Structure formats: structure tokens, C-alpha cells
Amino acid sequence: MMELTIQLVPTGEIILPPGKNGENYCHNCKVVASDGVRAIMESALTARDRVGVQDFVLLENFTSEAAFIENLRKRFKENLIYTYIGSVLVSVNPYKELEIYTKNHMERYRGVNFYEVSPHIYAVADNSYRSMRAERKDQCILISGESGAGKTEASKKILQYYAVTCPASEQVQTVKDRLLQSNPVLEAFGNAKTLRNDNSSRFGKYMDVQFDFKGAPVGGHIINYLLEKSRVVHQNHGERNFHIFYQLIEGGEEDLLRGLGLERNPQQYQYLIKGNCPKVSSINDRSDWKVVRKALTVIGFSEDEVEELLNIIASVLHFGNVQYGGEESNVCITSDTQIKYLSRLLGVNGSVLTEALTHKKIIAKGEELMSPLNLEQASSARDALAKAVYGRTFTWLVNKINTSLAYTDDSSKSLSVIGLLDIYGFEVFQHNSFEQFCINYCNEKLQQLFIELTLKSEQDEYEAEGITWEPVQYSNNKIICDLVEEKFKGIISILDEECLRPGDATDFTFLEKLEGTLGGHPHFVTHKLADGKIRKVMGREEFRLLHYAGEVNYNINGFLDKNNDLLFRNLKEVMCMSENKILTHCFDREELSDKKRPDTAATQFKASLAKLMEILMSKDPSYVRCIKPNDAKQSGRFDEVLIRHQVKYLGLMENLRVRRAGFAYRRHYEVFLQRYKSLCPDTWPNWNGKLSDGVSTLVKHLGYKPEEYKLGRSKIFIRFPKTLFFIEDALETRKHGLATKLQAGWRGYKQKTKYLKLRTAAIAVQAWWRGILAKRRAQRRRQAADTIRRFIKGFIYRHKARCPENEYFLDYVRYSFLMNLRKNLPKNVLDKSWPTPPAALVEASEHLRKMCMQNMVWSYCKKISSEWKHQMEQKVIASEIFKDKKDNYPQSVPKLFVNTRLNGEDLNPKVVQALGSEKMKYAVPVTKYDRKGYKARHRQLLLTASSVVIIEEGKIKQRIDYGALKGISVSSLSDGLFVLHVPSDDNKQKGDVILQSDHVIETLTKLGICADKINSININQGSIKFTVGQGKEGTIDFTPGSELIIAKAKNGHLSVTAPRLNSR
């Protein structure tokens, strides 16, 4: 019997396992899927004490940062790394592989309402995808967090989700592959190992994934922001340069490295040794190199483009090894080998490059002058060129990837877009410079956008539901954004002004100008403007900004140089002359003729950030906030201080406070009523009226107070989490009773269904079987009638020749005889019984009888052993000699012949010695009768291979050679006398020998075989004549009597009276 079972997974989801066909149907449940039916998200609220709540909005003490972090801790301990703040996903990096990213998990989240399953990055991805499809409005997913928090991995998971779950064709699959393969390429060229993250993105990335009207990904576009070019020439201790350099050195083939002038040792290159960290245990540069090479092919890079790209990467390493010497004011390059490599790899003239690296071109009054560089200036020019070459190549790489991802079909221009923003989070280091200033400015803008969009979405939802909007007080960071970007008065404007003004502008003059312009601003302070307490923790070269996430001190050293990001004109000219096609695209000749000074780095970043804000404002955003649990990259370790720092910098508490300013929980009437209707008798099991009336009836039954909830047009709004927890606890208690009823109903339903199926099947089988039986009976009756009819007709014609009328009868008679014969065959060769055959089978029966007998004889003979065969041969000879001739023969038949009647101890050793090598074949005790007085004497008769030997005690009394034996005579009576006839002229013999044996048949048979005298054995009736010697004869008379008597008669004959045992 099938049971109705449920499964509670650690996230709190309730899953109905699949049935036999892989599907489950739950009455009153709307979700049907191959992996089971999922209950909605609130199922986990009953486990909140152990695993926390899945949505921070449901925290009772939502203003407490400690309660917020404790909820994160509970979930992190249970490997539940995802939590919601309303529609915002908070993700904690587990620093280990979790089995929650399989294809089955993707299927579980596909097409499911956002709150029907536990929090997951797939839920955010699917929600954006369904919103894009349903509303035909572009979406974007903003992923932020500090380095090491898992932003890059989150964006990968989203792309993988779309690649697996979206519709696909051959063309679409190519786009999917290129989208996925763009990640390892961008990571190789834009990511690096830092103190906080072994795969830290050192650039911001915004990717648009384009979908056609079917929902299939057909294209993409990537925008990169603020690549950390300074890393090319300098890394902090414990950090590395970009991955691609190490991948090339470790994974490149020997021929490739030889052609690039590189050695397989990163310690040989100045740009790779400053961090003193060439190898990292968690990074396999060799295998990553294979992945990157394959990805470049998939994306569509030609072999020539790959070769030119690698030439540029190698040239950057060679730039770092260019060494200067000479006088301080007039330096020269001492490493000619590097110049040769650079000349070949970049396709430029070596002498022109050497001059450009040691001089700068000055245009004064229309004249061009070459001014020599000092050692510091030359090193800076070399590093600036290396950074420019790498930075522009990275931009070309992104554009090349965009070209391969571009959607080329003009037939359908109505494409929908989902954007992925993977950008640096708020950064606060011990020493913060220009890069951190730009990154934190970006985060201020994103926070401003986030708060505005969050408040706007809340207000839109309230207005759509007819709920009065209550203004929310929130921390508006517009003042800080203005402080940075305001025209003429903002920090960026002041920085640009200081970079562009004539005269000796330095980082300190920039700081003085900041103090003069922004001195009274509440979010700006310097050492000079600060009070005594702040001065103790600030350097004279620092200024402090009070960001939304906290205070940050920025060191001004390098601000002007990094903002200018200038490259000497003659270095640009050299790069414009390059034969490398990539560099030709990167360094445009029009740049040389353009007299306008290029925008500064800060201005460019400000402009690109403004465009990004426009892009994001035009889309419906979703948010993923990534958190790093510890700095040691250890799984299971939860550093509360570090996490509190990130919670603050990500503005999560502010986000939660805005989300909770109104109502903590809101759900559609249908979902709410479906979940909790069992708590009210009026709504259980089904509510047939309007949904709003059903919800109103339900909350009144539950005793909700008016201030605890509001009813909108399609949703119920609950203000306090404790109200929701109360109803969840009541539902948990109710579930046990419901489960029992459901199980009972389910069992009853299954049994009834099973019974009805069995009953229907039984009726069908019975009807079918009855029909079969009726058909069989009718068929048997017909066959029986036909058989009887044919049998009677055959019996009538039985004496006639075979004809159609009697053939059946005759065949039956034959068949009956043969079956009877089969059962009554003779059991052995002596069994002479045989069934009487019909007249037609007499001849056949006789043949069968002979064949049967032959077969039994053959079988019998086959089983006879050699000893038994010898015995049978002797018995056959005895039969030939004595059968029907001698009275006592029948009594000898059942008795086996023996090899000898005398054992070894019965023979005298002297006899054995006298016989010598003659082999004795048979021995038997006999009685010898003298020829004259017929006196009886005990003797032993021995048969050897050549003679008959008669023994008296220890002496051989007589030896008769078989050749001298004329014949053997024996009577036909039952006595044991026999006479051995010898030639009368033989001097060795005294006459014929008269002997008596108790085993006369056996003895004479053995003698006849040994002497080959079988035909010389004579069976006489009445008397036997024998030779006494010297021509005299004797007679033995035989007469039948009652007993055996042997005596000398009055007439001088030997009289033998023997009883007759058989009548012949």
C-alpha cells in the first residue's frame, strides 16, 4: 500500500516525494513538479530557534544589529548561506563546496514563486527571469560585497542557471557557451590574488544578457569599470599580479615560452616578485591556463589574435625587466635583450622605443624638443606604458568578447535584458588611496539608488493595494554623493582643477585646496580641521569622509598621478606605429592629433558611473549582498567583528529598517488562505466565496487586532512578525491532526481504488475465463463425437484393406498396442513375456521383440565386468559339455566356479618347490581309486599350464602332459567319478587314472579349458572302460540308486551306485 509521506529538509521546506511516475499531485496544492511538491517558505518559521528566520524582515527585534548577526550565525552554522531581507538576498561565503547547485536544485527553483522555496541565488535569478518574461521589462541583478565575499561566484551561478534552465537551440547553445566561457577569460585578465581573496576581481563588471521573445539567451554585452592598472607594476606583500601572467608561465608550452622570450620561473620578472607570492596552494595555474585557452577558442578568438594577445602579455613582463643606468640626469637602458624582445613582440622599432623610454617630447612654440628623463621619470614612464598597454588591451578584450556575444539577427529587435552588476563593495583598508576613493564613491551612488528604488517599490506596492503610505525616515546619503561629485565644489572637480592648473601642483596643494573649499562640510575633515582627539588618529597627508557605512581616511599620496593617468606623447607615438593589430586598435593615431587633453580618471569614472545609474534606473533591480565570514578563508569560521563591519558597510540594517517601516509580511490572498485555512472551521476545507472575504473571516477567527494587519486589494499586510509566528505555531500544532486525517483519507482512497481495480479486473478475468472454459467444453464435445463416429465406422471396416473409413481405427489399434507394449516390455533377458499383437502388427511385433532382446543383451553385456565375463565363459563351456547329459549339472549352474579349491596352506611347500616356475591354474582335493583293488586314496589334483599333476602329501605321484591325455570319461549320473585316459604304450604312465571330485563339473570344465580337451570329454551311460596297464582293461559300472555307493563288485568291476537327481 502506498503511504502519503512528507519530508522536512534542513531549510524548513516540506517536500512531498515523487510517485511511481515521477510526479506528485497534492489536492489543493498548485505546484506540481518532478522532484516533489514544495510548501511555501514560511514552513521554516517553526524551526526558527535552530536555523533562524529565512527573512530578516521577520526578526522581532529588527533594530538590533546583534539579533541580525545572531540570525546569520544560526543559518551559517547549518550551512544555510542564503537569507532574505524582503526581496534582497544576503549571501555568506561558505568557503567550501555545498551540494545546492546541482541540476535538480535548478529544476526545483525554476518557475516557482519567490517565497515558495528557501532562499537561494537561483530564486533571485528565476524571479528576475520570470518578471522579465511576464512584464516584458528589463531586469538587473546587483551583486555587491567586499573582496572575498563571493560576488564573482554568485554571478557565475546566475549565468549557469540561465544556461541550464532557459530554452535552447544550436545557435542559443553557442551563445550560452560563450557567456559561460567569458568568465574564465575575464578572471584571468582582471582577477588577482589579494590578501583577502585568492580570486579577487580587480575591476567592476556589468553584463547584459539578452533574451529573445521565447526567453532564450541570444546575446550579451559587458561593460568594465576601473581596472586596477597599478597592480601591473606593483603588488602589496602577499598579493599577486593578474592571473594571466602566472598561467602563461606555468601552463604555456615550451615552444610558446621560447618564442615569447619567457622562462618558466615567475621570480625572473620584476612585475611578479613585488608581492613575494608567486604560487598559491588554492590556485592551479597550469590547469587554469588550459581552461583559458579553450575559452578563447569557444568565444571566437582566431589563432593570430591569441598569438598577438600573448605577445602583449609577454611584453608587459619584459617592460618590468627593462633596467636603467647612466647619469642621474641622462639615463640609458642597460638591458638590450629586453628591448629586442619588446621590439619583436610589439612590432616596433627598437631604437625608437629605447628613445621613447628615456626621453619625453616637449612642444614649445610649435617646435618639438626631446628632453632626457632622470632615473625616477624614466622608471615612471616605463611603468606608465606597461599599465597603459595592459589596461587598453583589457578594454579591447572586453570589446572582442562583446563582439562574439552580439545578437546579429535584425529580424527581431524586441530583446529583453537581464543585467548582472558584479562590482566592488565598500572598501576600508589601513591605507586607502585613489582606488578606494573611487570604489566607495561608486558604493555611495549604488546605496543611494538602492534606497530610492527600495522605497519606491514599497510605495508603489502600498499604492497598488490601496494601503495608506506612511513616510519613512531614512539616512539620505545624497549629501555625501554631492560632496564627491558636485560641480566646482566636489572633491572630483577640485582634484581635476588641481591636475589641470599650471604651476607646481602636488598632492599637498590638492589637500590644502580641499581644506579651503570644504572646510565646513559635516562629512569632511582633515588633520588641520580636526579636533585634538581626531588628530591623534589622522596623518597630515590624509582626509576623512563620513560615508553612509562609516568613516574612511584617504591618503592623498598619488592622487594626482593616478587621476592624470597620462602617457608621454612619444610613448603613444611608438605604440601607434606597432604592427600588432591589437595595439593598433588600442592606440588610435587620431589620439595624437587631438589637441584636447583627455579626461582624468576620476572624471571618466564619474561619467561611466552616471551611465551605469541610468542603466540601472531603467531596469527593475534585484539585489545580492555578499558577506565574507572570516579573513582566513576557512569554512565554518564565523568572525562576528568582521561580519558586523560588513553589515554596516553594506547598509543591511538600513535596508531592513526601511523594509520594516511599514508591514513586515505581505502575501496574496490566495496564498495566505491556502496555507492557513485549516485554522478556521469556516474556511476549512474549502472557501467558495471571494478570497478577501475568506481572509477576513480567517483573521477574525484568529483574533487579529485591527492595528496588526491591513487588507489590500489582493494582499494581506501583517505588521508584526510575532503575529505571523503565532499563526505559524498554531499551524504546526494543527498539522499533526491534518496529517492523520490526510493519511487516513489517503489510505482509504488508495484501498478503495485498489479494491475497485481488483474487482473490475476480477470480473473481467472471470468473464474471460468462463468463455474460455465454455469454448473448450464445446470443442471437446465436438472432438469426442467425431472420435466415436470414426471409431465405430473403423470397427465395422476393420477386416478390410486400409481405407479412409478404417484408417483411424487401425491407427488407434496400432497406437494402443504400442502404448501397451511400452508399459509391458520385458524387464530382463530371462523374461520371455510379450503382449499379443493385432493381426496387422504380427511381423512388426516380432522385429520389435528381437530388437528389444538384442538391446537388453547388449545392455547386459555392457555392464558385465571382466571377472564375471570369465565366469560366464566357463559356465557356457560347462553348459556345452554337460547340459542335458549329466544328472548333477543343473545343481552346478547357480554355483560360481572358483579359481582354486586349495589355499596356499593346503599345499605342501615341497610340492610348490617341485613345481618351480610352473604356474598353478587350478587345484582341487580328489579321491584316487587304485586300478587293481579300487582302494580309495586322498590326493590333490593340480592343473598347470602344460600338465595335470596328482599330489600325494609332499610328493608328485603322477604328471600327465596335456598332449598325452587321450580323453576324459565321466558317467551321466550324479556321481563325481571321472577317468583320465593316457596312452598304453607310455612307459611313464601305469594306466588310466580313476578320480572322484565333489566339484566334478567345475573340475572337468577347468581341465577341458586348460588342456584344450573340451571335445575329448565323454559322458557315458552304464559303464566306462579304462586301461589297467600292459594291455589289460578294467570296467566301471554305473547304476542308479538311492544313495552314492562305490565298491568292488564280485565280477571284479568297480561298481558305482548314484542317485538320479533329474529325469532327462
Side-chain angles (χ1 to χ4, degrees), residues 444-458:
E444 287 285 359
K445 295 291 289 182
L446 290 174
Q447 177 69 5
Q448 183 182 24
L449 176 71
F450 173 64
I451 295 296
E452 288 179 3
L453 293 179
T454 301
L455 286 175
K456 184 176 183 299
S457 64
E458 285 284 290

mmCIF file with all atom_site columns, all heavy atoms in Angstrom, residues 444-458:
data_model
loop_
_atom_site.group_PDB
_atom_site.id
_atom_site.type_symbol
_atom_site.label_atom_id
_atom_site.label_alt_id
_atom_site.label_comp_id
_atom_site.label_asym_id
_atom_site.label_entity_id
_atom_site.label_seq_id
_atom_site.pdbx_PDB_ins_code
_atom_site.Cartn_x
_atom_site.Cartn_y
_atom_site.Cartn_z
_atom_site.occupancy
_atom_site.B_iso_or_equiv
_atom_site.pdbx_formal_charge
_atom_site.auth_seq_id
_atom_site.auth_comp_id
_atom_site.auth_asym_id
_atom_site.auth_atom_id
_atom_site.pdbx_PDB_model_num
ATOM 1   N N   . GLU A 1 444 ? 28.525 54.602 -2.692 1.00 0.00 ? 444 GLU A N   1
ATOM 2   C CA  . GLU A 1 444 ? 27.592 55.641 -2.229 1.00 0.00 ? 444 GLU A CA  1
ATOM 3   C C   . GLU A 1 444 ? 26.469 55.832 -3.245 1.00 0.00 ? 444 GLU A C   1
ATOM 4   O O   . GLU A 1 444 ? 25.287 55.927 -2.895 1.00 0.00 ? 444 GLU A O   1
ATOM 5   C CB  . GLU A 1 444 ? 28.337 56.964 -2.019 1.00 0.00 ? 444 GLU A CB  1
ATOM 6   C CG  . GLU A 1 444 ? 29.236 57.011 -0.786 1.00 0.00 ? 444 GLU A CG  1
ATOM 7   C CD  . GLU A 1 444 ? 28.446 57.146 0.506  1.00 0.00 ? 444 GLU A CD  1
ATOM 8   O OE1 . GLU A 1 444 ? 27.207 57.229 0.454  1.00 0.00 ? 444 GLU A OE1 1
ATOM 9   O OE2 . GLU A 1 444 ? 29.064 57.145 1.582  1.00 0.00 ? 444 GLU A OE2 1
ATOM 10  N N   . LYS A 1 445 ? 26.839 55.862 -4.535 1.00 0.00 ? 445 LYS A N   1
ATOM 11  C CA  . LYS A 1 445 ? 25.828 56.034 -5.574 1.00 0.00 ? 445 LYS A CA  1
ATOM 12  C C   . LYS A 1 445 ? 24.874 54.837 -5.621 1.00 0.00 ? 445 LYS A C   1
ATOM 13  O O   . LYS A 1 445 ? 23.654 54.985 -5.748 1.00 0.00 ? 445 LYS A O   1
ATOM 14  C CB  . LYS A 1 445 ? 26.506 56.208 -6.943 1.00 0.00 ? 445 LYS A CB  1
ATOM 15  C CG  . LYS A 1 445 ? 27.348 57.474 -7.077 1.00 0.00 ? 445 LYS A CG  1
ATOM 16  C CD  . LYS A 1 445 ? 26.464 58.723 -7.078 1.00 0.00 ? 445 LYS A CD  1
ATOM 17  C CE  . LYS A 1 445 ? 25.670 58.860 -8.340 1.00 0.00 ? 445 LYS A CE  1
ATOM 18  N NZ  . LYS A 1 445 ? 24.859 60.100 -8.362 1.00 0.00 ? 445 LYS A NZ  1
ATOM 19  N N   . LEU A 1 446 ? 25.451 53.620 -5.485 1.00 0.00 ? 446 LEU A N   1
ATOM 20  C CA  . LEU A 1 446 ? 24.609 52.426 -5.508 1.00 0.00 ? 446 LEU A CA  1
ATOM 21  C C   . LEU A 1 446 ? 23.684 52.365 -4.299 1.00 0.00 ? 446 LEU A C   1
ATOM 22  O O   . LEU A 1 446 ? 22.533 51.944 -4.398 1.00 0.00 ? 446 LEU A O   1
ATOM 23  C CB  . LEU A 1 446 ? 25.486 51.163 -5.564 1.00 0.00 ? 446 LEU A CB  1
ATOM 24  C CG  . LEU A 1 446 ? 26.231 50.924 -6.879 1.00 0.00 ? 446 LEU A CG  1
ATOM 25  C CD1 . LEU A 1 446 ? 27.173 49.740 -6.744 1.00 0.00 ? 446 LEU A CD1 1
ATOM 26  C CD2 . LEU A 1 446 ? 25.256 50.699 -8.023 1.00 0.00 ? 446 LEU A CD2 1
ATOM 27  N N   . GLN A 1 447 ? 24.212 52.808 -3.124 1.00 0.00 ? 447 GLN A N   1
ATOM 28  C CA  . GLN A 1 447 ? 23.368 52.833 -1.923 1.00 0.00 ? 447 GLN A CA  1
ATOM 29  C C   . GLN A 1 447 ? 22.227 53.832 -2.092 1.00 0.00 ? 447 GLN A C   1
ATOM 30  O O   . GLN A 1 447 ? 21.082 53.574 -1.704 1.00 0.00 ? 447 GLN A O   1
ATOM 31  C CB  . GLN A 1 447 ? 24.231 53.196 -0.700 1.00 0.00 ? 447 GLN A CB  1
ATOM 32  C CG  . GLN A 1 447 ? 23.466 53.331 0.609  1.00 0.00 ? 447 GLN A CG  1
ATOM 33  C CD  . GLN A 1 447 ? 22.924 52.004 1.114  1.00 0.00 ? 447 GLN A CD  1
ATOM 34  O OE1 . GLN A 1 447 ? 23.194 50.965 0.534  1.00 0.00 ? 447 GLN A OE1 1
ATOM 35  N NE2 . GLN A 1 447 ? 22.149 52.051 2.189  1.00 0.00 ? 447 GLN A NE2 1
ATOM 36  N N   . GLN A 1 448 ? 22.550 54.989 -2.683 1.00 0.00 ? 448 GLN A N   1
ATOM 37  C CA  . GLN A 1 448 ? 21.524 55.999 -2.929 1.00 0.00 ? 448 GLN A CA  1
ATOM 38  C C   . GLN A 1 448 ? 20.441 55.443 -3.865 1.00 0.00 ? 448 GLN A C   1
ATOM 39  O O   . GLN A 1 448 ? 19.240 55.579 -3.608 1.00 0.00 ? 448 GLN A O   1
ATOM 40  C CB  . GLN A 1 448 ? 22.173 57.239 -3.550 1.00 0.00 ? 448 GLN A CB  1
ATOM 41  C CG  . GLN A 1 448 ? 21.210 58.393 -3.778 1.00 0.00 ? 448 GLN A CG  1
ATOM 42  C CD  . GLN A 1 448 ? 21.902 59.586 -4.446 1.00 0.00 ? 448 GLN A CD  1
ATOM 43  O OE1 . GLN A 1 448 ? 22.915 59.417 -5.114 1.00 0.00 ? 448 GLN A OE1 1
ATOM 44  N NE2 . GLN A 1 448 ? 21.366 60.774 -4.248 1.00 0.00 ? 448 GLN A NE2 1
ATOM 45  N N   . LEU A 1 449 ? 20.903 54.772 -4.932 1.00 0.00 ? 449 LEU A N   1
ATOM 46  C CA  . LEU A 1 449 ? 19.963 54.158 -5.867 1.00 0.00 ? 449 LEU A CA  1
ATOM 47  C C   . LEU A 1 449 ? 19.147 53.068 -5.177 1.00 0.00 ? 449 LEU A C   1
ATOM 48  O O   . LEU A 1 449 ? 17.933 52.967 -5.357 1.00 0.00 ? 449 LEU A O   1
ATOM 49  C CB  . LEU A 1 449 ? 20.738 53.560 -7.052 1.00 0.00 ? 449 LEU A CB  1
ATOM 50  C CG  . LEU A 1 449 ? 19.907 52.798 -8.076 1.00 0.00 ? 449 LEU A CG  1
ATOM 51  C CD1 . LEU A 1 449 ? 19.051 53.756 -8.876 1.00 0.00 ? 449 LEU A CD1 1
ATOM 52  C CD2 . LEU A 1 449 ? 20.822 51.991 -9.006 1.00 0.00 ? 449 LEU A CD2 1
ATOM 53  N N   . PHE A 1 450 ? 19.819 52.263 -4.347 1.00 0.00 ? 450 PHE A N   1
ATOM 54  C CA  . PHE A 1 450 ? 19.165 51.150 -3.673 1.00 0.00 ? 450 PHE A CA  1
ATOM 55  C C   . PHE A 1 450 ? 18.051 51.655 -2.741 1.00 0.00 ? 450 PHE A C   1
ATOM 56  O O   . PHE A 1 450 ? 16.927 51.138 -2.758 1.00 0.00 ? 450 PHE A O   1
ATOM 57  C CB  . PHE A 1 450 ? 20.225 50.374 -2.894 1.00 0.00 ? 450 PHE A CB  1
ATOM 58  C CG  . PHE A 1 450 ? 19.659 49.301 -2.019 1.00 0.00 ? 450 PHE A CG  1
ATOM 59  C CD1 . PHE A 1 450 ? 18.982 48.223 -2.557 1.00 0.00 ? 450 PHE A CD1 1
ATOM 60  C CD2 . PHE A 1 450 ? 19.808 49.368 -0.651 1.00 0.00 ? 450 PHE A CD2 1
ATOM 61  C CE1 . PHE A 1 450 ? 18.463 47.231 -1.757 1.00 0.00 ? 450 PHE A CE1 1
ATOM 62  C CE2 . PHE A 1 450 ? 19.288 48.385 0.165  1.00 0.00 ? 450 PHE A CE2 1
ATOM 63  C CZ  . PHE A 1 450 ? 18.614 47.309 -0.390 1.00 0.00 ? 450 PHE A CZ  1
ATOM 64  N N   . ILE A 1 451 ? 18.364 52.659 -1.950 1.00 0.00 ? 451 ILE A N   1
ATOM 65  C CA  . ILE A 1 451 ? 17.360 53.183 -1.010 1.00 0.00 ? 451 ILE A CA  1
ATOM 66  C C   . ILE A 1 451 ? 16.187 53.786 -1.783 1.00 0.00 ? 451 ILE A C   1
ATOM 67  O O   . ILE A 1 451 ? 15.017 53.544 -1.468 1.00 0.00 ? 451 ILE A O   1
ATOM 68  C CB  . ILE A 1 451 ? 17.992 54.233 -0.074 1.00 0.00 ? 451 ILE A CB  1
ATOM 69  C CG1 . ILE A 1 451 ? 19.057 53.572 0.820  1.00 0.00 ? 451 ILE A CG1 1
ATOM 70  C CG2 . ILE A 1 451 ? 16.927 54.897 0.780  1.00 0.00 ? 451 ILE A CG2 1
ATOM 71  C CD1 . ILE A 1 451 ? 18.494 52.535 1.774  1.00 0.00 ? 451 ILE A CD1 1
ATOM 72  N N   . GLU A 1 452 ? 16.510 54.542 -2.846 1.00 0.00 ? 452 GLU A N   1
ATOM 73  C CA  . GLU A 1 452 ? 15.437 55.170 -3.626 1.00 0.00 ? 452 GLU A CA  1
ATOM 74  C C   . GLU A 1 452 ? 14.531 54.121 -4.261 1.00 0.00 ? 452 GLU A C   1
ATOM 75  O O   . GLU A 1 452 ? 13.302 54.222 -4.192 1.00 0.00 ? 452 GLU A O   1
ATOM 76  C CB  . GLU A 1 452 ? 16.048 56.070 -4.700 1.00 0.00 ? 452 GLU A CB  1
ATOM 77  C CG  . GLU A 1 452 ? 16.672 57.357 -4.151 1.00 0.00 ? 452 GLU A CG  1
ATOM 78  C CD  . GLU A 1 452 ? 17.277 58.198 -5.251 1.00 0.00 ? 452 GLU A CD  1
ATOM 79  O OE1 . GLU A 1 452 ? 17.139 57.791 -6.430 1.00 0.00 ? 452 GLU A OE1 1
ATOM 80  O OE2 . GLU A 1 452 ? 17.878 59.247 -4.958 1.00 0.00 ? 452 GLU A OE2 1
ATOM 81  N N   . LEU A 1 453 ? 15.148 53.097 -4.868 1.00 0.00 ? 453 LEU A N   1
ATOM 82  C CA  . LEU A 1 453 ? 14.353 52.072 -5.538 1.00 0.00 ? 453 LEU A CA  1
ATOM 83  C C   . LEU A 1 453 ? 13.578 51.213 -4.538 1.00 0.00 ? 453 LEU A C   1
ATOM 84  O O   . LEU A 1 453 ? 12.454 50.807 -4.795 1.00 0.00 ? 453 LEU A O   1
ATOM 85  C CB  . LEU A 1 453 ? 15.250 51.191 -6.406 1.00 0.00 ? 453 LEU A CB  1
ATOM 86  C CG  . LEU A 1 453 ? 15.885 51.875 -7.620 1.00 0.00 ? 453 LEU A CG  1
ATOM 87  C CD1 . LEU A 1 453 ? 16.764 50.894 -8.375 1.00 0.00 ? 453 LEU A CD1 1
ATOM 88  C CD2 . LEU A 1 453 ? 14.804 52.429 -8.543 1.00 0.00 ? 453 LEU A CD2 1
ATOM 89  N N   . THR A 1 454 ? 14.197 50.942 -3.377 1.00 0.00 ? 454 THR A N   1
ATOM 90  C CA  . THR A 1 454 ? 13.512 50.148 -2.360 1.00 0.00 ? 454 THR A CA  1
ATOM 91  C C   . THR A 1 454 ? 12.292 50.896 -1.848 1.00 0.00 ? 454 THR A C   1
ATOM 92  O O   . THR A 1 454 ? 11.192 50.336 -1.736 1.00 0.00 ? 454 THR A O   1
ATOM 93  C CB  . THR A 1 454 ? 14.470 49.813 -1.204 1.00 0.00 ? 454 THR A CB  1
ATOM 94  O OG1 . THR A 1 454 ? 15.591 49.091 -1.711 1.00 0.00 ? 454 THR A OG1 1
ATOM 95  C CG2 . THR A 1 454 ? 13.774 48.969 -0.145 1.00 0.00 ? 454 THR A CG2 1
ATOM 96  N N   . LEU A 1 455 ? 12.492 52.186 -1.506 1.00 0.00 ? 455 LEU A N   1
ATOM 97  C CA  . LEU A 1 455 ? 11.367 52.995 -1.025 1.00 0.00 ? 455 LEU A CA  1
ATOM 98  C C   . LEU A 1 455 ? 10.300 53.134 -2.105 1.00 0.00 ? 455 LEU A C   1
ATOM 99  O O   . LEU A 1 455 ? 9.106  53.057 -1.833 1.00 0.00 ? 455 LEU A O   1
ATOM 100 C CB  . LEU A 1 455 ? 11.868 54.377 -0.601 1.00 0.00 ? 455 LEU A CB  1
ATOM 101 C CG  . LEU A 1 455 ? 12.639 54.438 0.726  1.00 0.00 ? 455 LEU A CG  1
ATOM 102 C CD1 . LEU A 1 455 ? 13.166 55.835 0.951  1.00 0.00 ? 455 LEU A CD1 1
ATOM 103 C CD2 . LEU A 1 455 ? 11.735 54.036 1.885  1.00 0.00 ? 455 LEU A CD2 1
ATOM 104 N N   . LYS A 1 456 ? 10.772 53.291 -3.357 1.00 0.00 ? 456 LYS A N   1
ATOM 105 C CA  . LYS A 1 456 ? 9.818  53.451 -4.451 1.00 0.00 ? 456 LYS A CA  1
ATOM 106 C C   . LYS A 1 456 ? 8.988  52.184 -4.639 1.00 0.00 ? 456 LYS A C   1
ATOM 107 O O   . LYS A 1 456 ? 7.773  52.238 -4.822 1.00 0.00 ? 456 LYS A O   1
ATOM 108 C CB  . LYS A 1 456 ? 10.571 53.792 -5.738 1.00 0.00 ? 456 LYS A CB  1
ATOM 109 C CG  . LYS A 1 456 ? 9.661  54.081 -6.940 1.00 0.00 ? 456 LYS A CG  1
ATOM 110 C CD  . LYS A 1 456 ? 10.503 54.498 -8.136 1.00 0.00 ? 456 LYS A CD  1
ATOM 111 C CE  . LYS A 1 456 ? 9.621  54.855 -9.324 1.00 0.00 ? 456 LYS A CE  1
ATOM 112 N NZ  . LYS A 1 456 ? 8.803  53.723 -9.775 1.00 0.00 ? 456 LYS A NZ  1
ATOM 113 N N   . SER A 1 457 ? 9.674  50.994 -4.585 1.00 0.00 ? 457 SER A N   1
ATOM 114 C CA  . SER A 1 457 ? 8.935  49.744 -4.761 1.00 0.00 ? 457 SER A CA  1
ATOM 115 C C   . SER A 1 457 ? 7.944  49.529 -3.623 1.00 0.00 ? 457 SER A C   1
ATOM 116 O O   . SER A 1 457 ? 6.822  49.056 -3.835 1.00 0.00 ? 457 SER A O   1
ATOM 117 C CB  . SER A 1 457 ? 9.897  48.555 -4.854 1.00 0.00 ? 457 SER A CB  1
ATOM 118 O OG  . SER A 1 457 ? 10.603 48.393 -3.638 1.00 0.00 ? 457 SER A OG  1
ATOM 119 N N   . GLU A 1 458 ? 8.360  49.917 -2.384 1.00 0.00 ? 458 GLU A N   1
ATOM 120 C CA  . GLU A 1 458 ? 7.451  49.802 -1.245 1.00 0.00 ? 458 GLU A CA  1
ATOM 121 C C   . GLU A 1 458 ? 6.230  50.710 -1.446 1.00 0.00 ? 458 GLU A C   1
ATOM 122 O O   . GLU A 1 458 ? 5.086  50.304 -1.264 1.00 0.00 ? 458 GLU A O   1
ATOM 123 C CB  . GLU A 1 458 ? 8.182  50.199 0.043  1.00 0.00 ? 458 GLU A CB  1
ATOM 124 C CG  . GLU A 1 458 ? 9.149  49.152 0.557  1.00 0.00 ? 458 GLU A CG  1
ATOM 125 C CD  . GLU A 1 458 ? 8.417  48.004 1.220  1.00 0.00 ? 458 GLU A CD  1
ATOM 126 O OE1 . GLU A 1 458 ? 7.841  48.192 2.310  1.00 0.00 ? 458 GLU A OE1 1
ATOM 127 O OE2 . GLU A 1 458 ? 8.392  46.919 0.629  1.00 0.00 ? 458 GLU A OE2 1
#
